[in-house]
Amino acid sequence: MHVKPKVVKVGIMSLDQFKKRTIAIAKGHYKPKKNEPKIWFHSIRSLANVLSEQNQLLLKLIVETQPKSIKELEAVTGRTANNLLRTLRMMENYGFVKLKAGIGRRGRAPLVPEVVYSAAEIELDFAS
């Protein structure tokens, strides 16, 4: 059985424009269309930082290895848990990753990283 790829539309909009858009949505003056980006960045540079080659590789590794904890991911990547958590939390804030509580034997349950989308489509509007 082939699973359909889950693609997210990503947009780039200045912080000022984004604030105006958010206020218009909150006031009910604007309703986002279904085909609009779900994730927004204020610049191409910020997008490039979040979806750097290293972070794209990390997402790919998570999809391929399906680690049951950050410790497992640490072993696969060679990166420290603190470094991974910092990156994964940032990606979680943008909606690319979910960190779910796994099943722990005792004490605190391990965090299980899960990639939300299989691809991103970038939308850049030159006119606005």
Side-chain angles (χ1 to χ4, degrees):
M1 186 169 118
H2 190 286
V3 177
K4 185 180 176 202
K6 190 171 179 187
V7 180
V8 64
K9 193 176 257 191
V10 175
I12 298 169
M13 181 184 290
S14 74
L15 196 53
D16 188 49
Q17 285 177 309
F18 186 75
K19 283 180 185 177
K20 288 176 184 174
R21 179 182 187 273
T22 303
I23 290 168
I25 291 169
K27 289 182 175 180
H29 298 289
Y30 180 74
K31 187 171 194 279
K33 295 169 189 71
K34 197 173 190 172
N35 65 340
E36 285 186 22
K38 301 289 182 238
I39 299 174
W40 291 93
F41 290 90
H42 68 273
S43 69
I44 291 176
R45 180 172 289 168
S46 61
L47 168 68
N49 286 334
V50 174
L51 292 179
S52 66
E53 284 184 41
Q54 185 181 21
N55 289 347
Q56 288 178 58
L57 253 174
L58 178 60
L59 292 172
K60 186 175 184 211
L61 270 171
I62 293 169
V63 169
E64 290 174 351
T65 63
Q66 297 183 354
K68 301 293 181 235
S69 68
I70 299 298
K71 191 165 187 72
E72 270 187 36
L73 189 58
E74 187 179 26
V76 174
T77 62
R79 291 170 63 176
T80 65
N82 284 342
N83 179 286
L84 284 169
L85 270 173
R86 188 171 38 256
T87 300
L88 291 169
R89 291 229 186 266
M90 177 258 310
M91 293 176 90
E92 183 178 44
N93 286 338
Y94 280 100
F96 291 109
V97 172
K98 282 185 186 173
L99 292 172
K100 296 181 172 184
I103 299 168
R105 293 187 183 149
R106 56 185 132 89
R108 198 165 39 167
L111 286 175
V112 179
E114 181 182 291
V115 176
V116 178
Y117 303 102
S118 57
E121 187 177 286
I122 313 299
E123 181 176 292
L124 181 58
D125 185 359
F126 298 114
S128 57

